[in-house]
Amino acid sequence: MSSVMIGVIGIIIVIALLMLRVPVALAMGIVGFGGYWIISGANPTLKLMGMVPFSTTANYTFTVIPLFILMGYFVFYGQLATNMFSAINVWFDRVRGGICYATIVGGAAFGAANGSGPASTATLAKITIPEMERLGVNRRLAYGIVASAGPLAQMIPPSMLMIIYAILAEQSVSKLLIAGIIPGLIIAFGYMITVYILLKRNPELALKMERQPLSVKMKELKGIWGITLLIGAIMAGLYLGFFTPTEAGAIGATLALLITLFSGKLSLEGFKLSIIESIKTTATVFLIIISSFLFGYFLGISQIPNTVSSFLTGLDVHPMFVMFGICLMYIFLGMFIDMLSAMFLTIPIILPAVINLGFDPIWFGVIVVFLAEISLVTPPFGLSIFMIQGAVKGSEYTEILKGSFPFIVTDFIVLFIFLFFPQIILFLPNLM
């Protein structure tokens, strides 16, 4: 049996294991180990096993991961999102369904201080859905807004998926993070336009909010100073080159701790939980990274990446048609397996072909992360849908899905814009 065929069988086994909900680290680690053993033999495989865990993780670039994770947990347990949402909400009192727009803006802002789509969705669901229902917003619309706005955390820096892609693709972490700013804002604006169109067609979906005096609005602004300072310091420092991504993570975690302590929102129990959850999440991410690199070595000696690259670049079609096919592949995978798993599985295979076809790897990284964002709301395993079900009592799967549909349409419209106008994504990274 040829090495390529062994590689194909290995990929099929991994996909099957992931669909059976086997942990991604276990699935890729076992298949990578077994496949490398079959092709290279026992001694090279055992030497590889002794080398990969240390050589993979003893990398300065990886230190950014636990620092941004810690920052996200400080923000979460320090309840910065609650104060921020209240402050944003009062400034949308002059428009029908103002709380809907406030939720989208709040989701983008919280995502910029959190970095995790599922965590952002769960937080928004607990804070905003009860409030939207209280103010007369249609429940289905409220579900759709939160299911779509929550995953914005995966696009807007500091996005964990952006960092992981940068590591897998050996690209600049700073450029990947900065590349997500403009697309994230465009996506948020697209959701706001969607809400406007829905309310224009059916004004009964949301009521007008009670007008608030300027004094109240100004007083509420104190609720956003902390998260504004945190986001501004990280983005400005990265873009202007004042510090590296790792230093940005350290500064972000320190600032988040000081802000939450100063505001009196972070309890001792919250501090302990932030540390413990950060350790758990970091250990999980690093185990997945080690397993993915082992699986990557297996794919390398099986010649799968070279074979796929040669096949795709040899097709007598425009490169954009190939990119459409790649996007469809990720959308299909995202329906059945976690997109983080899909990224670890596919990036080593697909990226060489993408580069040979003339596409920018930074641009492609943003596209992949956006597809991961879309996968959080697409059936049958859209994680955002289940996060809302768990956070809001009485919510139903079909109702959340129906509410999300207009925003999924918006996602695909924005995706086509990003595909045909790559400079939208590359404008800020090219200035660095």
Side-chain angles (χ1 to χ4, degrees):
M1 187 183 296
S2 68
S3 59
V4 173
M5 183 56 65
I6 294 171
V8 171
I9 293 172
I11 293 170
I12 293 172
I13 292 173
V14 169
I15 293 175
L17 290 173
L18 293 175
M19 292 180 70
L20 291 171
R21 292 297 182 255
V22 174
V24 58
L26 194 61
M28 299 183 78
I30 291 175
V31 174
F33 176 81
Y36 202 95
W37 185 303
I38 292 170
I39 295 175
S40 297
N43 286 337
T45 305
L46 293 176
K47 288 180 181 178
L48 185 71
M49 286 297 295
M51 176 188 71
V52 168
F54 178 78
S55 64
T56 300
T57 55
N59 187 328
Y60 177 74
T61 307
F62 285 2
T63 55
V64 69
I65 294 175
L67 292 169
F68 275 127
I69 288 173
L70 180 60
M71 184 192 78
Y73 278 114
F74 281 149
V75 169
F76 178 75
Y77 286 108
Q79 300 176 30
L80 286 184
T82 304
N83 295 338
M84 175 203 64
F85 176 74
S86 298
I88 294 173
N89 189 29
V90 298
W91 285 88
F92 282 91
D93 63 333
R94 293 182 176 273
V95 294
R96 180 177 292 277
I99 192 172
C100 301
Y101 301 105
T103 301
I104 295 169
V105 174
F110 182 63
N114 181 276
S116 170
S120 181
T121 301
T123 303
L124 283 178
K126 292 176 183 177
I127 296 172
T128 64
I129 289 179
E131 187 68 8
M132 280 194 277
E133 290 183 358
R134 186 182 71 81
L135 293 175
V137 177
N138 177 273
R139 173 176 285 195
R140 187 179 294 178
L141 176 60
Y143 291 158
I145 291 170
V146 172
S148 301
L152 278 171
Q154 297 192 157
M155 179 64 69
I156 298 174
S159 161
M160 283 297 105
L161 283 187
M162 288 286 195
I163 294 170
I164 290 171
Y165 172 86
I167 292 169
L168 290 174
E170 299 181 349
Q171 298 296 315
S172 166
V173 174
S174 296
K175 287 190 174 183
L176 254 302
L177 291 176
I178 293 300
I181 295 176
I182 293 178
L185 294 176
I186 290 174
I187 295 165
F189 185 65
Y191 293 158
M192 294 176 78
I193 292 175
T194 304
V195 170
Y196 177 80
I197 293 172
L198 290 173
L199 296 182
K200 197 74 174 176
R201 292 180 61 187
N202 185 4
E204 294 183 0
L205 290 175
L207 303 176
K208 280 192 175 183
M209 295 170 57
E210 182 181 346
R211 293 272 180 103
Q212 299 291 339
L214 183 61
S215 58
V216 173
K217 294 180 179 180
M218 297 304 295
K219 185 178 179 181
E220 287 289 341
L221 285 178
K222 67 180 183 181
I224 65 172
W225 73 268
I227 208 162
T228 303
L229 175 62
L230 182 62
I231 296 169
I234 293 171
M235 292 191 179
L238 284 173
Y239 182 73
L240 298 174
F242 289 154
F243 38 72
T244 65
T246 298
E247 291 165 345
I251 291 170
T254 304
L255 269 178
L257 176 60
L258 293 175
I259 291 167
T260 51
L261 287 175
F262 181 78
S263 64
K265 295 289 187 178
L266 184 65
S267 63
L268 180 60
E269 183 65 21
F271 177 79
K272 290 179 181 177
L273 287 172
S274 297
I275 301 298
I276 292 170
E277 293 298 327
S278 296
I279 293 171
K280 289 180 180 179
T281 305
T282 300
T284 302
V285 170
F286 271 65
L287 185 59
I288 293 172
I289 290 173
I290 292 170
S291 299
S292 72
F293 271 74
L294 178 61
F295 186 73
Y297 280 113
F298 160 56
L299 291 178
I301 63 168
S302 71
Q303 298 298 310
I304 286 287
N306 291 338
T307 303
V308 172
S309 179
S310 299
F311 171 74
L312 292 178
T313 54
L315 292 174
D316 189 22
V317 295
H318 193 278
M320 190 54 74
F321 284 104
V322 178
M323 183 56 62
F324 287 156
I326 293 172
C327 290
L328 289 173
M329 177 199 72
Y330 276 113
I331 292 168
F332 178 76
L333 286 175
M335 289 180 178
F336 301 101
I337 65 175
D338 176 62
M339 272 296 286
L340 179 63
S341 307
M343 283 176 61
F344 279 115
L345 176 64
T346 59
I347 293 301
I349 301 171
I350 296 295
L351 188 61
V354 169
I355 294 173
N356 288 336
L357 286 168
F359 295 110
D360 189 287
I362 299 290
W363 170 83
F364 181 65
V366 174
I367 294 296
V368 170
V369 170
F370 186 36
L371 290 168
E373 182 181 319
I374 295 173
S375 75
L376 287 177
V377 289
T378 51
F381 298 117
L383 187 56
S384 276
I385 298 174
F386 294 114
M387 294 299 290
I388 293 174
Q389 272 193 297
V392 181
K393 291 183 179 180
S395 55
E396 297 180 3
Y397 177 90
T398 53
E399 199 169 15
I400 301 170
L401 184 59
K402 288 176 181 177
S404 303
F405 182 75
F407 299 93
I408 295 174
V409 173
T410 300
D411 282 334
F412 281 105
I413 293 172
V414 174
L415 176 63
F416 275 97
I417 292 172
F418 291 161
L419 287 173
F420 286 103
F421 301 96
Q423 281 306 314
I424 293 174
I425 294 172
L426 297 174
F427 176 71
L428 288 181
N430 287 343
L431 294 177
M432 295 177 68

